[in-house]
Amino acid sequence: MKKAILATALAIAFVISCEKQHDNLETHDHAAAQTEHDSSGSRATEKSDDHADNSVALELDNGKKWRINAEMTPFINEQKRLLDAFDSDTGDAKKLAADLQAANEQLIKSCTMKGKSHDVLHVWLTNHMNLINRLGKSTMAEETEKIADELEDSFKSFHRYFE
C-alpha cells in the first residue's frame, strides 16, 4: 500500500513539473499571439501575460542597451543566421519558421533574466514570436518576403535595445 501511494505521489510530482515547464513555453507563445505593435513596428505592447509587467514598453535602460544573459546570445545569432540564409523566392517558409521556433525555444529555456530587463526583452520577444508564427502560416511568396523583412527589422530592433 505504501509503495502504491509513493509511486502515485512521484508520478503526480513528475507530471506537475513537466506541465509547469510546458506552460512556461506556452505562455510565451500565447503572449506572442496577442502582441500588437504600432505602425512603425518599433514598439510592442502586450495585451496579457501572467508574469510580465504589462506597463513595460520596448525602451532603453536609461539611455543604454539592456544586457541579456550570455547563454541566450547563440540562439539569437542562430536565428539571424537562418534568416540571412533564407531566399524568399526559393526557400521553404514553413521550414524556416520551424527552425526559428526551435532556436527560439532554446533562447527561452536559456533565459535567466529577471526584473525590468526581462520584461523589456519579453516585449521584443512576443512580437518576434508572432512574426515567426505568421511566417509558418505564410503561403504566398510576397507575404513570405514581407514577413522575412519584418523579421529582419525585428533583429535590428533587438540590437537597438539589447546587447
Side-chain angles (χ1 to χ4, degrees), residues 24-122:
N24 286 341
L25 288 174
E26 283 185 353
T27 298
H28 283 279
D29 288 342
H30 179 69
Q34 294 185 350
T35 300
E36 295 179 349
H37 61 278
D38 67 9
S39 60
S40 69
S42 64
R43 181 184 170 114
T45 307
E46 298 173 61
K47 285 185 178 177
S48 70
D49 188 340
D50 295 337
H51 69 277
D53 181 350
N54 289 337
S55 66
V56 174
L58 191 55
E59 61 189 7
L60 292 170
D61 180 14
N62 295 315
K64 294 184 270 182
K65 292 181 180 183
W66 298 95
R67 290 194 171 268
I68 64 166
N69 58 297
E71 296 83 3
M72 295 170 68
T73 304
F75 305 112
I76 292 288
N77 293 342
E78 175 63 8
Q79 288 185 56
K80 181 70 168 107
R81 185 195 66 74
L82 289 165
L83 185 61
D84 288 346
F86 181 71
D87 180 349
S88 59
D89 292 328
T90 60
D92 182 348
K94 291 187 186 337
K95 178 172 178 3
L96 174 61
D99 291 345
L100 290 171
Q101 182 61 35
N104 219 31
E105 288 173 9
Q106 293 300 318
L107 173 78
I108 292 166
K109 287 179 184 177
S110 70
C111 181
T112 58
M113 296 170 64
K114 304 273 186 233
K116 189 164 182 182
S117 63
H118 174 266
D119 293 343
V120 174
L121 177 66
H122 200 269

